[in-house]
């Protein structure tokens, strides 16, 4: 007899249930652990009030959104139930339909709760996303400037309109879903029937649906009203400028007004339809609404654009182009740029050079990407250290300002000796010290002249001495990757390399969250899914978790309503390393202002989070963070910005005025690169003052091509740091110290040269001043009209074509070295322009480049030498350079001296046990001998 095997499905159900309950509990505890540890971290940073305010409003908005949506859906079903308390079954119901209705009847009370709750959660959980819009609305500030169409203060568009439009759209979607839900409920109960093509409804159903559609039409009328103002933020104009044009204002705007009236009439007709039989009136009102929307909303504006505007485009659009021009210049502070004539005089003399020695002594001959490789090879010192970026700054050296290059030595988290828990979490917790060199100085071996170097750090200037060199918070640390400090029974953090071992350290700061209880350890264990935090004996009651160590991530987490600059920069101040992050207020609701496009964003670093579509930008906040203790302070840099004033009211006590910044730190602030790059991009077209010039584009500019090869040849990471490849071939702005024409004080500048759009000559250069008492000053120096000033690419081509330089570059290349051309800098001096470009050599397959020559170009003179002073002497004086083919004997003699000196240095390095230095000096000597051999082979 056949018997069925006993099933095990019933037995498995309890196990499945237990697994699901366990998974839900684990996910819940992980979420709660993350939430609590976030609170602890905000509290440890001194910004607990920010966390409490944000989360309380998230909760308030979420509850309000879910509650309101639930109430609307519940009332909708309740009304439907009251309209049809009993079933009115169809005469032709089949068995399945009858069973379905019976099931609905049994579950009706439960469904009236479950369905509204599910739909309410679906819509209501989106409401907390309105938090920042709600904050801005409640703390709105005037711009004290009106829009050109309606005359409303611009603050209405920035602070009020975004939230109003969001709420109305959400309410419309809510009511549309409620109407559909009501129709479904009435159909299920039999109050709404479809017999063939004929729709019939019971009296109560018709009243309910007609009222809901009337309310929906009224909400749409309100939406149309807001659309009238949102048209100022549209990009419907064909001429190529942002904002409404002639057709938008004279055709689309009246149509929007008409549609709002039509929506109100439709709402009235829906109510009238209650007292008429059938749905004809309601159907006709909807069809009429759609017909007017299509004909008046699409066809009429298209006819106006084609037959009225296009044949007379400039006269029709002139006023609106001027609105776009004025708004864009105001939104990006282009209207604050001073335009000054620049003589581009060809009469610069050696006396002028001597009178500007402070400028000359600060000209940068070190390229940041080239220097990065040098730092990495000679100053990382240990494989677990990393110098990830080189920045520029200025310091006082015995009272004399010096432009310097600076890099911070951080822990290389991806190259630790072993990737185990103790190494990654307990031992390798911090970097150590910084590296600084003069921007314009080179040692005899082609390496930088260091002002701060080695471990422990040795400084040659008091302003660069470090009392606290440890770097627990940095630029390259991976976001969200924590370390634990104050662990073990004895100090165990890797600190300094020593002969035969390492020096250990125990963190003496108060950053991080203290693991003072089992519950905190448990919460962090769930947060990081790391059981070691519970079972390791290395964790002490005073152990601290450094939750977030990446500087930009800290800025973005504490102030998510601001946008951080893509390049935080370090400053050595008062014996400590601090980070400065420029932070921006942005909006995409500034009427008529041109938004940031993808092409503009391509000029920013890949790490930049500048939102596409931004059309108002201010660098209103400077964040300062200690590299050792993680202390964070936000300073308000632009109190005139209405957006930052709103955030100040929303987060009282979070921001401090600039006057509270520590004395001396303001001397290191710099104009941010992301802001300047975007301003420069927009200035290509918006430097004009006439709407006709903007429309025709006949005076548009372009960025010069970059003649350097340093980034491409040396550091692909730096080159790839741009979002887009087009910007990779353009000259990007750079910092330099110079005395501007007509001024006697040295300024720290960010400079961007421009060409005419279809030409290669230089038409202008724009500078942003970072000098403390002149910070933020923007000056556009215009080249003489009718004159011709070489552009950067033209000068680069002339350097390549110079016979003496080209010959020597070929000799170096033939001897197995890679020639690297650094940044070609435009330097204004006494109303004239000189150009300089450093040349570096790297042995094929070598590890680092070395400085060899610097080219100086002025007028028709092109000279180079192994020092900037030598090259300037050749251009403006009577000197002879080391590569002058007219005197090959002196060239070989100098090279022989260099080779002998290199051998002597190599012997000294070998005697002291410095094998790396020995290898470097031997390579230098060998390369010098190859140059001598190449000269002799051509008859020198």
């Amino acid at each position: 007899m056949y018997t069925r095997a006993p099933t095990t499905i019933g037995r498995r159900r309890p196990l499945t249930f237990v697994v699901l309950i366990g998974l839900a509990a684990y996910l819940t505890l992980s979420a709660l652990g993350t939430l609590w540890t976030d609170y602890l971290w905000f509290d440890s940073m001194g910004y607990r009030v920010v966390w409490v305010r944000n989360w309380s409003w998230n909760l308030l908005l979420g509850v309000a959104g879910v509650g309101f949506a639930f109430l609307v859906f519940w009332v909708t079903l309740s009304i439907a139930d009251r309209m049809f308390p009993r079933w009115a079954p169809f005469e032709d119901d089949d068995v399945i339909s009858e069973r379905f209705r019976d099931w609905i009847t049994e579950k009706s009370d439960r469904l009236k709760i479950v369905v509204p709750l599910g739909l309410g959660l679906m819509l209501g959980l989106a409401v907390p996303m309105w938090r920042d819009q709600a904050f801005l609305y409640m703390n709105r500030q005037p711009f004290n400037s009106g829009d050109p169409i309606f005359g409303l203060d611009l603050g209405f568009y920035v602070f009020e309109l975004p939230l109003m439009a969001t709420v109305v759209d959400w309410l419309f979607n809510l009511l549309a879903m409620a109407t559909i839900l009501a129709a479904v409920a009435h159909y299920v109960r039999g109050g709404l029937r479809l017999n063939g093509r004929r729709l019939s409804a019971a009296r109560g159903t018709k009243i309910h649906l007609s009222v809901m559609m009337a309310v929906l039409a009224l909400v749409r009328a309100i939406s149309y009203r807001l659309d009238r103002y949102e048209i100022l933020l549209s990009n419907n104009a064909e001429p190529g400028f942002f904002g409404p044009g002639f057709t938008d204002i004279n055709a689309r705007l009246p149509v929007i007004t008409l549609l709002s009236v039509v929506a109100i009439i439709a709402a009235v007709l829906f109510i009238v339809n209650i007292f008429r039989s059938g749905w004809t009136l309601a159907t006709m009102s909807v069809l009429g609404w759609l017909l007017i929307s299509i004909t008046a909303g699409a066809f009429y504006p298209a006819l106006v654009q084609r037959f009225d505007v296009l044949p007379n485009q400039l006269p029709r659009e002139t006023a609106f182009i001027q609105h776009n021009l004025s708004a864009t210049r105001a939104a990006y502070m282009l209207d604050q740029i001073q335009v000054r004539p620049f003589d581009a005089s060809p009469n610069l003399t050696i006396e002028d050079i001597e009178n500007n020695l402070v400028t000359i002594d600060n000209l940068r001959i070190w390229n940041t990407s080239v220097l990065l490789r040098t730092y990495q090879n000679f100053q990382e010192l240990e494989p677990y250290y990393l110098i990830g970026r080189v920045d520029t700054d200025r310091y006082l050296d015995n009272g004399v300002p010096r432009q310097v290059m600076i890099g911070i030595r951080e822990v290389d988290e991806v190259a630790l000796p072993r990737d185990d828990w103790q190494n990654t979490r307990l031992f390798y917790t911090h970097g150590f010290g910084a590296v600084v060199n003069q921007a314009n100085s080179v040692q005899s071996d082609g390496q930088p002249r260091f002002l701060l170097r080695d471990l422990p750090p040795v400084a040659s200037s008091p302003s660069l001495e470090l009392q606290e060199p440890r770097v627990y918070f940095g630029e390259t640390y991976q976001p969200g990757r924590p370390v634990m400090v104050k662990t073990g029974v004895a100090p165990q953090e890797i600190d300094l390399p020593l002969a035969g071992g390492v020096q250990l350290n125990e963190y003496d700061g108060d950053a991080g969250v203290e693991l003072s209880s089992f519950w905190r350890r448990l919460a962090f264990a769930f947060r990081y899914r790391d059981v070691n935090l519970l079972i390791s004996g290395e964790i002490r009651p005073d152990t601290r978790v450094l939750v977030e160590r990446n500087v930009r991530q800290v800025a973005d987490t504490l102030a998510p309503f601001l946008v951080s600059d893509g390049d935080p920069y370090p400053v050595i101040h008062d014996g400590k390393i601090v980070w400065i992050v420029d932070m921006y207020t942005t909006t995409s609701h500034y009427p008529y202002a041109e938004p940031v496009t993808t092409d503009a964003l391509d000029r920013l670093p890949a790490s930049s989070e500048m939102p596409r579509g931004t059309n108002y930008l201010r660098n209103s906040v400077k964040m300062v963070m200690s590299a050792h203790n993680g202390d964070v302070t936000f300073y308000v840099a632009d109190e005139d910005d209405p957006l930052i004033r709103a955030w100040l009211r929303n987060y009282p006590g979070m921001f401090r005025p600039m006057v509270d910044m520590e004395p001396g730190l303001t001397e290191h602030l710099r104009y941010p690169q992301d802001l300047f790059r975007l301003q420069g991009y927009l200035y290509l077209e918006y430097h004009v003052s006439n709407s006709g010039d903007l429309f025709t584009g006949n005076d548009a500019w372009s960025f010069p091509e970059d003649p350097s090869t340093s980034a491409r040849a040396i550091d692909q990471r730096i080159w790839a740091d741009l979002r887009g490849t087009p910007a990779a071939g353009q000259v990007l702005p750079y910092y330099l110290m110079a005395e501007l024409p007509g001024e006697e004080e040295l300024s720290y500048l960010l400079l961007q040269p421009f060409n005419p759009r279809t030409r290669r000559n230089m038409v202008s250069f724009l500078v942003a001043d970072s000098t403390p008492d002149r910070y933020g000053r923007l000056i556009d120096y215009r080249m003489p009209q009718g004159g011709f000033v070489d552009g950067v690419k033209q000068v680069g081509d002339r350097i390549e074509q110079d016979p003496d330089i080209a010959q020597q570059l070929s000799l170096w290349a033939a001897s197995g070295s890679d020639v690297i051309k650094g940044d070609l800098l435009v330097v204004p001096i006494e109303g004239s322009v000189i150009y300089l470009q450093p040349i570096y050599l790297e042995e094929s397959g070598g590890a680092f480049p070395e400085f060899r020559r610097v080219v100086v170009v002025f007028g028709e003179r092109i000279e180079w030498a192994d020092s900037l002073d030598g090259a300037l002497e050749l251009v403006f004086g009577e000197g002879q350079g080391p590569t002058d083919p007219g005197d090959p004997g002196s060239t070989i003699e100098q090279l022989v001296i260099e080779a002998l000196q290199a051998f002597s240095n190599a012997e000294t390095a070998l005697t002291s046990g410095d094998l790396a230095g020995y290898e470097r000096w031997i390579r230098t000597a060998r390369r010098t001998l190859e140059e001598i051999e190449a000269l002799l082979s051509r008859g020198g």
Side-chain angles (χ1 to χ4, degrees):
M1 180 178 178
Y2 174 77
T3 57
R4 180 179 296 177
T7 180
T8 59
I9 295 177
R11 298 176 185 175
R12 291 175 182 171
R13 285 178 180 174
L15 178 60
T16 303
F17 182 75
V18 170
V19 170
L20 292 176
I21 291 296
L23 179 61
Y26 173 76
L27 295 176
T28 301
L29 290 174
S30 296
L32 291 175
T34 300
L35 185 65
W36 186 32
T37 52
D38 272 344
Y39 167 78
L40 294 174
W41 180 74
F42 270 82
D43 187 36
S44 72
M45 299 293 294
Y47 293 92
R48 177 180 58 187
V49 175
V50 174
W51 187 94
V52 170
R53 181 168 179 80
N54 288 346
W55 271 101
S56 60
W57 272 89
N58 283 342
L59 184 62
L60 175 64
L61 292 173
V63 170
V66 173
F68 183 77
F70 170 81
L71 182 62
V72 170
F73 291 128
W74 182 82
V75 169
T76 298
L77 290 181
S78 297
I79 293 175
D81 190 47
R82 284 182 174 275
M83 291 294 184
F84 261 90
R86 296 181 180 179
W87 291 112
F90 291 115
E91 295 179 358
D92 56 349
D93 267 358
D94 54 23
V95 176
I96 296 177
S97 298
E98 289 182 1
R99 290 180 177 177
F100 177 70
R101 286 192 170 86
D102 291 339
W103 182 84
I104 292 291
T105 301
E106 295 173 1
K107 307 290 185 181
S108 61
D109 291 339
R110 185 181 302 176
L111 290 175
K112 275 202 314 186
I113 299 298
V114 173
V115 172
L117 182 59
L119 295 176
L121 288 171
M122 184 187 305
L123 281 177
L125 291 180
V127 175
M129 298 175 63
W130 307 350
R131 186 192 68 197
D132 287 350
Q133 290 182 347
F135 284 161
L136 290 177
Y137 183 89
M138 292 186 301
N139 299 283
R140 52 192 179 274
Q141 301 287 313
F143 274 71
N144 297 318
S145 177
D147 77 82
I149 303 301
F150 301 107
L152 298 176
D153 188 89
L154 298 181
F156 168 78
Y157 299 92
V158 174
F159 297 108
E160 301 179 39
L161 184 60
L163 181 63
M164 295 167 62
T166 301
V167 171
V168 170
D169 289 344
W170 182 84
L171 184 60
F172 182 85
N173 293 332
L174 172 64
L175 293 174
M177 290 182 65
T179 303
I180 295 172
L181 180 63
V184 171
H186 283 290
Y187 178 79
V188 170
R189 288 188 173 274
L192 190 65
R193 306 184 184 190
L194 184 61
N195 298 321
R197 296 183 178 180
R198 184 172 177 271
L199 181 67
S200 61
R203 177 68 176 170
T205 298
K206 188 174 184 180
I207 294 173
H208 188 196
L209 295 181
S210 295
V211 170
M212 293 200 70
M213 288 189 290
V215 174
L216 200 61
L218 290 175
V219 173
R220 189 68 184 101
I222 297 174
S223 179
Y224 281 133
R225 181 69 179 178
L226 296 180
D227 287 344
R228 297 181 72 251
Y229 302 112
E230 288 191 318
I231 199 172
L232 269 65
L233 306 172
S234 64
N235 194 20
N236 297 321
E238 292 185 5
F241 62 89
F242 183 81
F246 181 89
T247 300
D248 299 294
I249 299 302
N250 294 281
R252 289 192 176 94
L253 190 58
V255 167
I256 292 174
T257 303
L258 174 63
L259 288 175
S260 64
V261 174
V262 170
I264 295 174
I265 294 174
V268 174
L269 292 178
F270 284 137
I271 299 299
V272 173
N273 184 66
I274 297 174
F275 306 100
R276 298 175 62 89
S277 61
W279 294 89
T280 303
L281 186 60
T283 303
M284 294 301 296
S285 65
V286 172
L287 292 177
W289 190 353
L290 291 175
L291 182 63
I292 294 174
S293 297
I294 294 173
T295 56
F299 291 157
Y300 174 62
L303 292 174
V304 172
Q305 180 70 23
R306 178 61 187 88
F307 294 102
D308 188 12
V309 175
L310 289 182
N312 310 282
Q313 198 160 4
L314 184 56
R316 287 285 188 265
E317 303 286 11
T318 295
F320 306 103
I321 297 173
Q322 187 62 46
H323 298 333
N324 170 249
L325 175 61
S326 301
T328 301
R329 290 175 61 85
Y332 297 96
M333 298 182 294
L334 304 183
D335 57 346
Q336 299 180 19
I337 297 177
Q338 307 173 32
V339 178
R340 298 182 182 179
F342 190 82
D343 294 338
S345 171
N347 301 319
L348 195 66
T349 64
I350 189 65
E351 288 77 16
D352 295 324
I353 298 297
E354 292 174 351
N355 291 334
N356 288 270
L357 286 181
V358 178
T359 296
I360 299 300
D361 290 344
N362 282 285
L363 294 181
R364 178 172 59 86
I365 61 174
W366 281 107
N367 182 274
T368 53
S369 56
V370 170
L371 198 56
L372 179 62
R373 286 283 296 278
T374 302
Y375 279 6
Q376 290 171 345
N377 280 276
F378 293 104
Q379 284 299 312
E380 285 184 352
L381 301 179
E382 294 295 330
Y384 47 81
Y385 287 137
L386 169 69
I387 299 176
R389 184 179 293 274
V390 177
D391 286 284
T392 67
D393 201 354
R394 69 277 198 201
Y395 288 86
L396 289 178
D397 183 13
N398 295 322
V400 179
R402 297 291 185 195
Q403 185 175 13
V404 300
M405 319 298 287
I406 179 172
I408 303 300
R409 196 180 290 109
E410 304 178 35
V411 169
D412 190 350
E413 296 175 315
V414 299
L416 299 180
R418 290 198 314 274
D419 188 19
D420 57 38
W421 185 75
Q422 288 187 312
N423 269 344
T424 58
R425 295 291 185 263
L426 310 182
F427 295 166
Y428 293 94
T429 61
H430 61 276
F432 205 100
V435 183
V436 180
N437 70 281
Q438 290 183 214
N440 72 318
S441 184
V442 181
Q443 298 184 120
S444 60
D445 60 348
Q447 294 304 307
R449 188 174 302 280
F450 291 104
L451 302 176
L452 179 65
R453 60 179 299 166
D454 298 339
L455 291 173
V458 179
S460 61
S461 173
S463 60
L464 296 173
E465 291 180 353
L466 286 173
Q467 277 74 49
E468 183 44 77
R470 293 172 181 86
V471 182
Y472 286 87
F473 301 88
E475 183 178 8
T476 65
Y477 294 147
Q478 297 179 27
R481 179 170 176 166
V483 297
M484 290 74 184
V485 294
K486 298 186 178 181
T487 58
V489 296
Q492 57 182 0
E493 300 175 31
I494 305 299
D495 201 40
L496 277 176
L498 300 175
V502 294
Q503 173 179 301
L504 301 178
N505 176 67
E506 182 171 285
Y507 182 63
D508 59 355
D510 56 5
V513 179
E514 194 172 64
L515 298 179
S516 55
S517 68
F518 167 79
W519 299 109
R520 290 192 175 194
R521 293 175 66 172
L522 180 63
F524 276 106
F526 273 108
R527 178 190 181 101
Y528 296 121
R529 295 169 175 80
D530 187 356
V531 72
N532 290 314
L533 288 167
L534 290 175
I535 64 176
S536 174
E538 302 289 341
I539 305 299
R540 307 179 336 208
D542 62 339
T543 293
R544 291 177 172 269
V545 182
L546 304 187
V547 177
E548 186 55 71
R549 302 195 301 144
N550 183 277
V551 177
R552 279 196 64 199
Q553 189 63 37
V554 169
D556 294 338
T557 304
L558 292 178
F561 48 88
L562 302 176
V563 178
S564 59
D565 191 86
D567 183 22
Y569 56 96
V571 171
I572 297 176
H573 172 67
D574 197 22
K576 302 174 184 177
I577 300 172
V578 298
W579 295 96
I580 298 179
V581 183
D582 290 292
M583 306 196 74
Y584 306 104
T585 54
T586 66
T587 184
S588 57
H589 291 83
Y590 196 97
Y592 270 109
E594 195 74 20
V596 171
T597 62
T598 301
D599 288 342
L601 292 177
D602 283 345
R603 290 182 60 80
L604 303 186
S607 59
S608 174
E609 297 177 356
M610 186 68 64
R612 185 178 182 275
T614 294
N615 68 350
Y616 173 89
L617 186 63
R618 290 292 186 274
N619 173 219
S620 296
V621 174
K622 305 280 188 181
M623 190 195 87
V624 178
M625 183 175 187
S626 165
H628 173 258
N629 208 46
D631 301 319
V632 171
T633 307
F634 294 96
Y635 295 97
V636 177
D638 185 358
E639 295 180 349
D640 295 330
D641 175 26
L643 276 167
I644 198 59
R645 293 204 306 268
W647 292 119
L648 280 168
R649 288 185 57 185
N650 190 68
Y651 296 106
M654 181 177 180
F655 300 93
R656 298 173 62 180
M658 284 293 293
V659 293
D660 290 349
M661 184 173 284
E662 293 184 44
L665 193 56
T666 55
E667 298 175 0
H668 297 279
L669 297 180
R670 69 186 195 186
Y671 199 88
Q673 294 194 60
D674 284 6
L675 172 60
F676 192 68
R677 290 181 185 185
L678 291 179
Q679 287 177 317
Y681 180 86
L682 289 159
Y683 203 60
L684 295 176
E685 295 185 352
Y686 288 89
H687 62 273
V688 299
S689 57
N690 182 276
S691 57
D693 292 335
L694 180 63
F695 175 77
T696 60
N698 60 356
D699 192 27
W701 295 348
S702 64
F703 295 113
E705 296 179 53
D706 187 1
S708 71
T709 59
S710 55
R712 283 167 287 190
I714 292 298
D715 190 350
Q716 293 299 328
R717 290 177 301 174
I718 294 294
W719 193 253
D721 197 30
L722 293 173
R723 289 191 179 190
T725 53
Q730 302 170 352
V731 172
L732 295 172
Y734 48 85
Y735 293 98
L736 79 158
M737 296 183 71
E739 292 182 4
L740 291 173
E743 300 183 1
E744 297 182 356
E745 296 182 8
L746 199 65
S747 296
Y748 188 60
L749 307 170
L750 189 57
L751 185 147
Q752 173 69 63
F754 298 105
N755 293 346
R757 174 164 290 178
T758 58
R759 303 289 180 88
R760 299 174 68 190
N761 59 293
M762 185 165 63
V763 68
S764 165
F765 63 86
L766 179 68
V767 297
D769 201 341
S770 298
T771 312
D773 56 345
R774 301 184 294 276
Y775 182 89
R777 184 177 56 159
L778 296 165
I779 306 175
D780 170 15
Y781 286 98
R782 301 281 178 93
M783 301 300 110
Q785 291 188 355
F788 186 89
V789 180
D790 283 336
V792 174
K793 185 63 168 75
Q794 287 178 314
V795 174
D797 292 342
R798 289 176 56 197
I799 292 173
E800 285 187 352
Q801 296 165 6
D802 183 86
D804 298 333
I805 295 176
Q807 184 180 40
Q808 185 61 58
L809 295 181
S810 298
L811 290 173
W812 280 333
S815 65
S817 296
D818 294 329
V819 177
I820 302 160
K821 293 180 288 185
D823 294 337
L824 202 161
L825 303 183
V826 176
V827 182
I829 297 180
E830 294 285 349
S832 299
V833 174
I834 66 172
Y835 306 84
L836 67 90
Q837 183 176 42
I839 305 295
Y840 313 92
L841 289 186
E842 183 177 21
E843 184 176 328
S844 296
F848 60 91
E850 296 179 356
F851 173 86
R852 299 303 293 173
R853 299 286 188 269
V854 59
V855 184
V856 173
V857 179
F858 177 71
E860 299 300 319
R861 298 293 304 273
I862 302 177
E863 301 289 350
W864 70 343
D866 54 9
S867 69
L868 181 59
D869 289 341
L872 291 170
E873 178 67 22
L874 288 171
V875 172
F876 296 99
E878 301 295 333
Q880 294 292 332
T883 58
D884 186 356
D887 188 7
S890 62
T891 300
I892 293 178
E893 179 181 355
Q894 182 175 356
L895 291 174
V896 169
I897 294 174
E898 290 181 6
L900 292 174
Q901 183 63 48
F903 280 123
S904 175
N905 292 340
E907 183 178 359
T908 302
L910 182 62
T911 302
S912 62
D914 183 7
L915 297 181
Y918 171 77
E919 181 182 0
R920 175 162 56 88
W921 284 113
I922 287 297
R923 282 202 301 265
T924 300
R926 183 167 64 249
R927 185 168 52 250
T928 306
L929 292 176
E930 289 170 349
E931 290 185 44
I932 295 173
E933 182 181 4
L935 285 173
L936 292 174
S937 66
R938 65 183 177 92

